[in-house]
């Protein structure tokens, strides 16, 4: 092969059109309707051919078209207006400026394995990436100082197509980063920033690409460099591709390489947010840096890193939590373990729920939990599930008190909203719906929109969806080599006026995509009812190695090919953000029927109400919080089943009954002007109740107030004066751990009374042996609650006990009271946990707890009836 010299060609535009490059290179345009329309006007045909990628469009313009644009005064005026909007957005005061002006110089780093910002940047696979993209968008809207860190995948996630049998096939087109809204990050010398990451026997190089998202950058690491081995260049080839060895190497690059990339660019974040456990190795790299450069001992570095790390877990599905064989960890991380002074077995124990158990694998989620100050699930139910799932990380701690909270996910409203409904919001809600999407009072004004006006707007979006589906289905059939008759029939699929259901998501088996198809005969009666027809649009991808998910897709395609369903069921190939937008903007009903409680959040359903659609879902994920009986429909009542087959039978029956006898009936019940008044009432309730709460502005505000700001402040406090406070905290933690074995609750005493009247207070006294610890080092509590059938306290509460007497160490006495608020058989016990008044740690931050009953693994209880 000849030796090839490389050079880069970039779009070249005359001065009048230069602002187009400013707009195209900042993904602010993806949620600005005027900017999207401007970029489409550049060349409508190229806009479609280049998959809505403005950089590729500008790089493909003919000289004649460029000349036409420079003479088009209307276009130039539009360009000036949009460019002014961009500059105004970048420079206007923000929510963060108003509420946390003193922290403007702080920075949070947000690490994620994938980011879904727009279909023109295909570096995402599904909900995790789209949520990460929406997080970045709301962060810049709010002015939160945040940088994103991820990987630049040469092939991204696969493009999906189906063979003649309906079996999913995968294609991996190459992402041309030079023709995307990406630019190489360069140092002061003008050369690309290159970082090195250590792997066994070699160093792997990676360069850094920048994607500008409003005010904030997203940095993406790219290992596809000639200096790297072929297998190492593949590190950033495919998202969720390769085997388990490839996965750990990718996660080392993301976590360790991501930290090194930020340092190479002179960025020193105060807070690190781990979006899922993929990036958890960053915590170890940060500790190593502090030990190597600041000469801090491991314990001090641990305190500094842990106090400024935040972890969000996204799934209760085992496959979503990466586990590695300990030998694989030894292969790749032994040098790092030695640098930390832990030894490789000590490092492996950081990723085990039961340290020292050689049979247990190394889990990235456990590593993230152990090294993060804050941890959260992504819905209220998911918080409960996560606490139960990871309870062994905190042995002896009641499940309901485990330090895993929840912040429910949301969506970036402007990214998913259709222009038809947006114009109604402008007219009847005023501009504050855009600036302050979390304002509940603004969304109450939805009731002001005339029923007929809202209904006609929604009808136009459904008609647009049906027209687009027909065109896309024809393209699918043509590429599949279908017969002319089938291609011609595609022009008549779906009815623009029929009740339209949408189901689009990853085709994981627990999401039960084919549940509604369980009884084809019953389904035929519902879909082909001559008076109340119903139709379903499916879309979604199965993981390339998930044959169960692929089989679900094949079943849908086969059923859709039957004559009775040919016009009523459609499967759209290659689900991406464009397909999602068309669907959430045009369907009447969004169907969601996962196997509870395996749906952590389910943000796809949040995108529908903002466009006037309604949810019909199992009570799982976010819908447990969103559903109020007047804003949509629920499948079941939130039951959990041990028998999955029985669960399917019960829930599909409920689904059919609700769809046929209530939902379809309400949809087709029209007033004299053709408007379904009761249906529109539910539409408005859905818009009014869901939109204000389930958006990423609310979500990012919550992350900022609850996690980022405390971590910003903790970072300053612990690191000042050569980390004096961090050293003190580390020393205290070691001291308490060394003296803890002597701590015990000697005895508890309570008033002997057969029953306590409600409203009374029940006095409890306890004698505690603190050993060599001081009373300032501990918190003594009564733990009480209703007893279950096994005699265990369920969902208990705690009451602080106060020191009585003068003793400050050794055997000391405490007293407290139990408020008798509810009747029933109740129990109580006493416990001791460490407390440091100078440092507001989580109650179980040390992992130490002592219950009455000495070293019993579960708390002993006494019973009391009230």
């Amino acid at each position: 092969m000849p030796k090839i010299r490389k050079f880069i060609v970039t779009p070249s535009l005359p001065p009048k059109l230069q602002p187009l490059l400013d707009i195209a290179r900042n993904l602010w345009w993806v949620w600005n309707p005027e900017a999207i329309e401007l970029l489409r006007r550049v060349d409508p045909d190229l806009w479609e051919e280049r998959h809505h990628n403005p950089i590729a469009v500008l790089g493909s313009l003919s000289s004649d078209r460029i000349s036409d644009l420079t003479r088009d005064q209307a276009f130039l005026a539009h360009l000036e207006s949009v460019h002014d909007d961009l500059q105004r957005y970048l420079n206007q005061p923000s929510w963060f400026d108003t509420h946390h002006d003193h922290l403007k110089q702080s920075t949070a780093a947000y690490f994620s394995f994938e980011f879904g910002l727009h279909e023109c940047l295909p570096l995402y696979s599904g909900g995790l990436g789209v949520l990460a993209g929406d997080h970045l968008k709301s962060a810049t809207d709010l002015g939160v100082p945040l940088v994103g860190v991820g990987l630049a995948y040469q092939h991204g996630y696969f493009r999906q197509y189906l063979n003649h049998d309906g079996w999913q096939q995968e294609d991996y087109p190459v992402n041309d980063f030079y023709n995307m809204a990406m630019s190489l990050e360069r140092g002061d010398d003008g050369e690309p920033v290159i970082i090195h990451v250590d792997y066994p026997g070699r160093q792997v190089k990676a360069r850094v690409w920048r994607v500008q998202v409003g005010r904030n950058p997203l940095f993406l690491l790219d290992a596809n460099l000639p200096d790297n081995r072929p297998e190492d260049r593949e590190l950033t080839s495919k998202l969720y591709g390769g085997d388990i060895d490839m996965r750990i190497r990718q996660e080392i690059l993301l976590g360790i390489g991501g930290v090194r990339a930020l340092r190479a660019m002179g960025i020193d974040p105060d807070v690190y947010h781990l979006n899922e456990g993929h990036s958890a190795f960053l915590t170890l790299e940060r500790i190593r840096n502090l030990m190597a450069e600041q000469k801090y001992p491991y314990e001090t570095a641990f305190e500094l890193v842990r106090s400024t790390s935040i972890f969000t877990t996204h799934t209760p599905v085992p496959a979503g939590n990466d586990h590695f064989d300990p030998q694989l960890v030894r292969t790749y991380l032994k040098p790092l373990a030695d640098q930390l002074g832990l030894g490789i077995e000590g490092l492996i124990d950081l990723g085990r729920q039961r340290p020292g158990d050689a049979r247990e694998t190394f889990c990235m989620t456990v590593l993230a939990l152990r090294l993060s100050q804050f941890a959260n699930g992504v819905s209220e139910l998911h918080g409960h599930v996560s606490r139960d799932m990871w309870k062994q990380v905190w042995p002896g701690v009641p499940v309901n008190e485990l330090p895993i909270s929840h912040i429910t996910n949301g969506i970036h409203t402007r990214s998913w909203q259709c222009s038809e409904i947006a114009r109604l919001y402008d007219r009847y809600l005023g501009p504050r719906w855009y600036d302050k999407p979390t304002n509940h009072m603004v969304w109450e004004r939805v009731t002001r929109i005339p029923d007929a006006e809202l209904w006609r707007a929604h009808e136009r979006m459904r008609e647009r969806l049906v027209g687009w589906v027909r065109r896309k289905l024809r393209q699918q059939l043509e590429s599949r080599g279908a017969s002319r008759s089938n291609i011609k029939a595609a022009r008549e699929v779906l009815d623009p006026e029929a009740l339209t259901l949408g189901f689009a998501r990853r085709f994981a088996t627990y999401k039960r995509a084919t549940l509604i198809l369980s009884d084809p005969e019953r389904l035929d009666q519902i879909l082909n009812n001559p008076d109340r027809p119903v139709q379903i649009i499916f879309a979604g991808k199965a993981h390339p190695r998930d044959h169960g998910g692929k089989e679900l897709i094949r079943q849908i395609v086969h059923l859709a090919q039957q004559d009775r369903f040919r016009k009523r069921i459609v499967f759209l190939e290659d689900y991406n953000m464009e397909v999602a937008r068309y669907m959430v903007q045009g369907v009447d009903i969004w169907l969601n029927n996962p196997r509870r409680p395996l749906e952590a959040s389910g943000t796809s359903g949040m995108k529908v109400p903002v466009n006037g659609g309604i949810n019909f879902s199992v009570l799982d994920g976010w819908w447990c919080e969103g559903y109020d009986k007047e804003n949509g429909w629920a499948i079941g009542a939130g039951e959990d089943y041990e028998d999955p087959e029985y669960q399917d039978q019960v829930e599909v029956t409920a689904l059919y009954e609700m769809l046929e006898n209530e939902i379809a009936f309400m949809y087709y019940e029209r007033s004299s002007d053709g408007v379904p008044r009761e249906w529109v009432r539910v539409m408005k309730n859905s818009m009014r109740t869901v939109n204000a709460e389930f958006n990423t502005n609310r979500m990012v505000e919550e992350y900022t107030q609850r996690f980022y700001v405390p971590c910003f402040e903790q970072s300053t406090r612990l690191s000042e004066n050569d980390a004096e406070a961090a050293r003190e905290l580390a020393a205290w933690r070691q001291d308490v751990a060394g003296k803890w074995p002597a701590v015990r609750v000697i005895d508890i005493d309570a008033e002997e009374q057969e029953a306590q009247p409600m409203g009374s207070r029940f006095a409890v006294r306890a004698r505690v042996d603190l050993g060599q610890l001081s009373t300032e080092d501990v918190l003594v509590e009564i733990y009480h609650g209703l007893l279950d059938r096994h005699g265990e306290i369920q969902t208990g509460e705690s009451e602080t006990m106060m020191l009585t007497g003068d003793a400050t160490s050794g055997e000391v006495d405490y007293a407290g009271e139990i408020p008798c608020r509810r009747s029933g058989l109740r129990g109580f016990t006493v416990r001791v946990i460490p407390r440091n008044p100078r440092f507001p740690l989580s109650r179980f931050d040390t992992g130490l707890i002592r219950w009455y009953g000495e070293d019993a693994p579960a708390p002993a209880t006494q019973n009391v009836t009230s």
Side-chain angles (χ1 to χ4, degrees):
M1 290 290 292
K3 188 174 182 179
I4 297 175
R5 297 284 297 274
K6 298 179 181 178
F7 62 97
I8 300 170
V9 178
T10 60
S12 178
L13 299 175
K16 286 184 178 180
L17 300 182
Q18 279 294 316
L20 276 173
L21 289 173
D22 293 339
I23 297 167
R25 288 170 176 159
N26 190 321
L27 291 187
W28 164 85
W29 67 263
V30 307
W31 67 91
N32 187 289
E34 282 300 314
I36 295 172
E37 178 57 24
L38 171 76
L39 295 170
R40 189 195 67 80
R41 284 182 65 183
V42 169
D43 190 311
D45 293 335
L46 277 177
W47 181 249
E48 297 302 325
E49 290 174 17
R50 299 295 186 269
H51 305 291
H52 310 156
N53 179 351
I55 299 296
V57 170
L58 296 176
S60 304
L61 287 178
S62 67
S63 56
D64 288 344
R65 182 56 184 160
I66 291 174
S67 296
D68 289 343
L69 292 174
T70 59
R71 294 191 298 269
D72 187 337
Q73 295 303 312
F75 178 84
L76 293 175
H78 193 185
L79 172 57
E80 181 180 8
S81 173
V82 171
H83 191 256
D84 287 347
D85 286 345
L86 172 59
Q87 298 308 311
R88 190 178 305 111
Y89 174 87
L90 295 176
N91 295 293
Q92 67 188 2
S94 69
W95 171 87
F96 193 85
D97 294 335
T98 301
H99 291 81
H100 304 289
D101 184 65
H102 65 294
L103 295 172
K104 282 196 299 185
Q105 301 307 311
S106 302
T107 304
Y110 182 82
F111 280 64
S112 184
F113 212 48
E114 53 175 301
F115 286 91
L117 291 156
H118 190 262
E119 62 267 18
C120 72
L121 204 66
L123 304 173
Y124 62 93
S125 72
L128 178 69
V130 173
L131 185 279
D134 281 7
H135 191 114
L136 294 191
K137 293 171 185 176
S138 282
T140 179
D141 284 348
L142 295 166
V144 177
L146 180 144
V147 300
V149 181
L151 300 180
Y153 300 101
Q154 195 73 55
H155 296 281
Y157 204 49
F158 66 90
R159 299 288 300 273
Q160 177 198 56
Y161 66 97
L162 306 182
N163 65 17
H164 285 284
D165 190 42
W167 192 257
Q168 174 182 290
Q169 308 292 303
E170 295 87 32
D171 183 34
Y172 291 91
V174 174
N175 285 326
D176 181 2
F177 297 152
Y178 293 100
N179 272 315
M180 293 175 154
M182 300 171 63
S183 59
L184 278 175
E185 191 68 11
R186 299 180 182 274
D188 294 336
D189 59 0
E191 294 298 314
V193 171
I194 301 290
I195 58 104
H196 301 79
V197 179
D198 298 316
Y199 290 86
R202 66 199 187 277
Q203 279 193 330
V204 173
K205 294 182 178 179
R207 58 187 171 182
V208 182
W209 293 89
R210 172 192 284 255
V211 177
Q212 195 64 32
V213 186
R215 300 175 172 97
N216 297 332
L218 165 63
F219 297 110
L220 302 170
L221 276 63
D222 176 12
N224 185 27
L225 296 174
D227 291 347
N228 290 330
R229 297 179 182 181
E231 64 268 27
D232 292 329
R233 298 182 70 169
E234 290 294 310
L235 281 172
T236 53
S237 174
K238 297 176 182 177
L239 173 61
Y240 303 128
D243 57 14
I244 197 69
D245 184 80
M246 172 63 76
R247 177 63 65 86
I248 194 171
R249 289 191 291 130
Q250 286 183 318
E251 296 185 357
I252 288 170
L253 179 62
L254 173 62
I256 296 176
V259 172
R260 294 183 181 181
L262 292 174
R263 288 164 57 83
M265 294 181 290
I267 300 172
D268 184 19
D270 303 273
V271 172
Y272 286 75
H273 186 169
L274 291 64
N275 190 45
E276 260 306 353
H278 306 114
S279 61
F281 290 135
L282 73 83
T283 57
L284 304 179
E285 172 68 4
R286 294 180 63 206
I287 292 174
R288 189 198 68 80
N289 288 339
L290 290 169
M291 294 177 66
E293 297 171 8
Q294 304 299 325
K295 308 305 180 185
Y296 295 152
Y298 170 82
E299 293 78 12
T300 300
F302 175 93
E303 298 295 346
L304 286 165
V305 169
R306 189 179 185 282
S307 67
T308 54
S309 298
I310 298 159
F311 170 55
T312 299
T313 176
H314 280 267
T315 175
V317 180
N321 298 276
D322 287 335
H323 290 258
F324 298 118
D325 185 275
Q327 187 54 45
L328 200 59
V329 180
R330 295 184 188 103
T331 298
Y332 286 105
L333 294 176
K334 186 178 186 305
L336 175 58
D338 292 340
Q339 290 172 336
L340 298 178
L342 292 174
I344 187 59
E345 298 309 314
L347 187 151
I348 291 172
D349 276 349
L350 288 174
R352 283 174 169 152
Q353 295 193 66
R354 301 175 301 279
D357 185 350
R359 298 168 299 177
E360 187 179 349
T361 57
F362 178 93
C363 178
M364 296 295 281
T365 300
V366 175
L367 176 64
L369 288 170
R370 291 198 187 281
L371 280 158
S372 295
Q373 181 67 46
F374 298 106
N376 70 283
V378 291
S379 69
E380 184 176 8
L381 177 60
H382 183 230
H384 290 295
V385 172
S386 297
R387 287 189 288 275
D388 188 64
M389 189 172 184
W390 303 110
K391 59 191 174 187
Q392 292 184 65
V393 177
W394 296 273
V397 178
V399 172
N400 66 297
E401 293 190 294
L402 293 180
I404 303 176
S405 62
H406 80 276
I407 292 181
T408 303
N409 281 344
I411 63 158
H412 187 255
T413 304
R414 293 279 283 187
S415 293
W416 299 101
Q417 187 174 48
C418 66
S419 56
E420 290 277 351
I421 300 296
R423 282 193 286 270
L424 291 182
Y425 289 162
D426 288 340
R427 190 176 308 137
Y428 295 102
L429 276 63
R432 294 188 68 192
W433 75 267
Y434 170 58
D435 296 325
K436 299 183 183 298
T438 61
N439 189 317
H440 286 258
M441 294 302 295
V442 170
W443 291 107
E444 288 294 328
R445 297 175 189 167
V446 163
T447 57
R448 300 179 182 179
I449 304 174
D451 290 356
E453 207 168 336
L454 176 58
W455 180 246
R456 302 305 177 210
H458 179 66
E459 282 191 311
R460 288 191 290 272
M461 296 311 299
R462 189 189 326 106
E463 290 168 2
R464 187 188 75 146
L465 169 63
V466 169
W468 180 83
V469 167
R470 290 171 174 174
R471 293 192 299 274
K472 186 170 177 63
L473 184 59
R474 287 202 304 273
Q475 294 169 0
Q476 289 178 193
L477 294 172
E478 287 170 358
S479 64
R480 211 182 297 169
S483 66
R484 289 184 179 180
S485 60
N486 283 342
I487 295 173
K488 183 178 180 181
R491 300 173 183 172
E492 299 178 358
V493 299
L494 305 182
D495 179 349
E497 297 183 355
L499 172 61
T500 304
L501 278 62
F503 183 102
R505 52 190 35 86
R506 286 188 304 112
F507 264 65
T509 51
Y510 78 87
K511 293 179 182 284
R512 299 190 297 177
T514 57
L515 183 67
I516 194 172
L517 313 181
S518 300
D519 184 345
E521 300 307 317
R522 179 75 186 277
L523 185 65
D524 182 18
Q525 296 174 11
I526 296 172
L527 300 193
N528 291 303
N529 185 307
D531 300 316
R532 296 187 292 274
V534 180
Q535 56 200 12
I536 313 171
I537 303 172
F538 289 95
K541 298 177 179 180
H543 187 278
R545 292 192 294 273
D546 183 2
H547 293 285
K550 290 183 177 183
E551 176 59 27
L552 297 180
I553 293 173
R554 193 185 71 85
Q555 291 174 19
I556 293 171
V557 172
H558 277 231
L559 198 69
Q561 290 172 344
Q562 296 181 18
D563 288 341
R564 57 181 173 169
F565 295 123
R566 194 177 297 274
K567 293 183 179 182
R568 298 289 184 222
I569 300 177
V570 172
F571 182 87
L572 298 176
E573 296 177 13
D574 201 28
Y575 182 49
N576 64 8
M577 292 180 74
E578 180 189 19
V579 176
R581 275 199 310 276
Y582 271 100
M583 289 186 66
V584 300
Q585 292 174 4
V587 299
D588 301 296
I589 289 288
W590 194 255
L591 179 64
N592 186 37
N593 41 240
R595 194 177 300 284
R596 176 187 160 102
L598 299 181
E599 185 80 282
S601 180
T603 52
S604 62
M606 301 175 188
K607 301 176 177 81
V608 178
V610 74
N611 295 294
I614 304 172
N615 278 275
F616 179 31
S617 174
V618 166
L619 286 171
D620 197 7
W622 79 279
W623 193 230
C624 297
E625 301 162 59
Y627 176 61
D628 70 359
K629 299 184 180 180
E630 297 293 331
N631 62 355
W633 290 274
I635 301 171
E639 304 92 345
D640 293 326
Y641 295 86
E642 294 183 3
D643 182 347
E645 292 186 4
Y646 177 67
Q647 179 181 7
D648 291 350
Q649 178 184 346
V650 170
E651 292 183 345
V652 75
T653 300
L655 190 160
Y656 288 147
E657 290 292 330
M658 185 74 72
L659 179 58
E660 183 175 30
N661 298 323
E662 183 170 338
I663 296 175
F665 186 84
M666 183 186 294
Y667 177 86
Y668 285 103
E669 187 178 29
R670 307 296 171 93
S671 59
S672 58
D673 59 359
V675 176
R677 300 287 173 181
E678 185 63 14
W679 185 273
V680 173
R681 183 187 68 81
V682 178
M683 284 175 65
K684 288 183 176 181
N685 285 340
S686 176
M687 298 162 82
R688 181 177 53 81
T689 58
V690 171
N691 295 347
E693 189 66 26
F694 298 96
N695 63 76
T696 43
N697 279 46
R698 185 272 311 157
M699 183 191 81
V700 172
E701 284 183 15
E702 202 169 342
Y703 275 113
T704 302
Q705 304 281 36
R706 289 176 52 189
F707 298 164
Y708 293 173
V709 169
C711 282
F712 286 152
E713 295 171 345
Q714 186 84 322
S715 172
T716 301
R717 182 185 179 196
L718 291 183
S719 60
E720 61 188 5
N721 298 326
D722 194 28
E724 179 182 357
R727 295 175 190 272
E728 179 186 337
L729 178 57
W732 174 83
R733 191 190 294 269
Q734 286 183 289
D735 182 62
V736 169
K739 297 174 180 177
W740 194 254
V743 175
R744 64 193 181 100
V745 181
I746 299 172
D747 191 22
I748 60 177
D749 184 32
E751 302 170 351
E752 292 293 337
Q753 191 168 337
E754 193 169 313
Q756 294 289 130
M758 281 182 60
S760 66
R761 301 184 72 84
F762 183 64
V764 177
R765 294 171 297 278
R767 169 154 285 200
V768 178
D769 186 353
L770 299 181
Q772 297 180 8
L773 289 178
S774 163
T775 54
E776 292 186 354
D777 293 323
V778 300
L779 181 66
V780 180
E781 296 180 323
I782 306 167
Y783 183 74
H784 63 98
L786 288 169
L787 297 180
D788 62 19
R789 60 190 180 91
H790 302 293
E792 301 291 337
I793 295 174
Q794 53 179 322
T795 316
E797 304 173 68
S798 61
E799 310 293 336
T800 300
M801 301 187 78
M802 305 304 295
L803 180 67
T804 62
D806 300 326
T808 58
S809 63
E811 293 189 8
V812 293
D813 295 320
Y814 286 84
E817 292 182 328
I818 301 173
C820 299
R821 303 187 187 96
R822 287 174 291 175
S823 62
L825 182 62
R826 308 179 67 84
F828 74 92
T829 187
V830 172
R831 67 187 181 189
V832 186
I833 55 179
R835 176 185 62 176
N836 189 324
R838 281 178 44 76
F839 301 99
L841 303 174
S842 162
R843 296 165 65 79
F844 306 104
D845 197 52
T846 62
L848 302 173
I849 187 170
R850 180 74 75 231
W851 293 94
Y852 174 58
E854 298 184 341
D855 297 325
T861 63
Q862 288 192 10
N863 297 345
V864 60
T865 304
S866 63

